[in-house]
Amino acid sequence: MKLAIGHLYPELFNLYGDRGNVQCLLKRLQWRGIEAEVVPLPAGEKVDFARLDIVCWGGGSDRGQEMAAGHLRGIRDDFRAYVEDGGVVLAVCAAYQLLGNYYRTETKTIEGLGILDICTEWKPGRLVGNVVLESPCFSTPIVGFENHAGRTEIGDYTPFGKVLFGHGNTGNGDYEGIVYKNLIATYLHGPLLPKNPEVCDWLLERALKRRYGKEIVLEPLADVQEHRANRNIVERFTPSHTK
Ligand code: GLN
């Protein structure tokens, strides 16, 4: 078995160490004896989505988003087909915004891919800080760090989680992110996956199932450091939630 992890526009989208998500996906496969390769997907080059099992796309500045917008037009149809076919995607912050119709900043409107029917509006006052979520898909609370000026209304989409601590999609502290098919879009940096191994394995199991056509349950890992890191944030910011 072997999986290919595509890292979309790595030179423009790597805020707060989001590259760590790619490393985490890679390592958690290798630790289980499953082969994996990272495929860098630089802006401006053609993307062969058929070759990819996971697309990892990180956060970026408004300027980076603007620079990417023109290139995104060229991959929009293939990217949409990949997502609709159950292709696995992790999109963080700027990437989450660009999966939608547009991100309107203070001065301009940056066109998105329109793969998700959502819109993001810039508002004064950045939403910054630690976040703790609870999600019906995961038994462990999800932890991360947000830093965004954009506010995203998600309509009827399923959120990634309910906010126990932090700001979330719109700043009113109700919900965070979106889960759509095998795509997770979220504002959470951290990077997200090393502190939330359950989320990482959720992505990996879906990618393996899609590639090999059968349910593959990954063998559990000890995850001592990972759980400690997660628990530390949960205990610090949502002590009442700690059992
Ligand atoms: N530039 C976007 C915003 O401020 C996204 C920032 C990010 O990726 N952290 O809303």
Side-chain angles (χ1 to χ4, degrees), residues 96 119-121 123 125 127 146 148-155 163 166-177 187:
Y96 171 19
C119 299
T120 301
E121 304 280 347
K123 287 204 180 128
L127 306 176
E146 64 184 332
H148 53 109
R151 273 74 165 166
T152 307
E153 294 284 352
I154 67 164
V163 176
H167 302 288
N169 285 327
T170 58
N172 69 7
D174 53 4
Y175 291 101
E176 203 291 316
Y187 273 109

Side-chain angles (χ1 to χ4, degrees), residues 65 68-70 72-73 76 98 100-103 109-114:
Q65 289 173 282
L72 286 172
R73 245 171 263 142
R76 179 184 350 222
L98 288 176
N101 297 317
Y102 63 79
Y103 168 36
T109 299
I110 303 170
E111 184 190 354
L113 289 158

Side-chain angles (χ1 to χ4, degrees), residues 15-16 59-62 65 93-94 97 103 126 147-150 189:
L15 268 192
Y16 318 120
S61 63
D62 289 6
Q65 289 173 282
C93 200
Q97 297 170 345
Y103 168 36
R126 294 189 72 79
N147 185 350
H148 53 109
H189 303 278

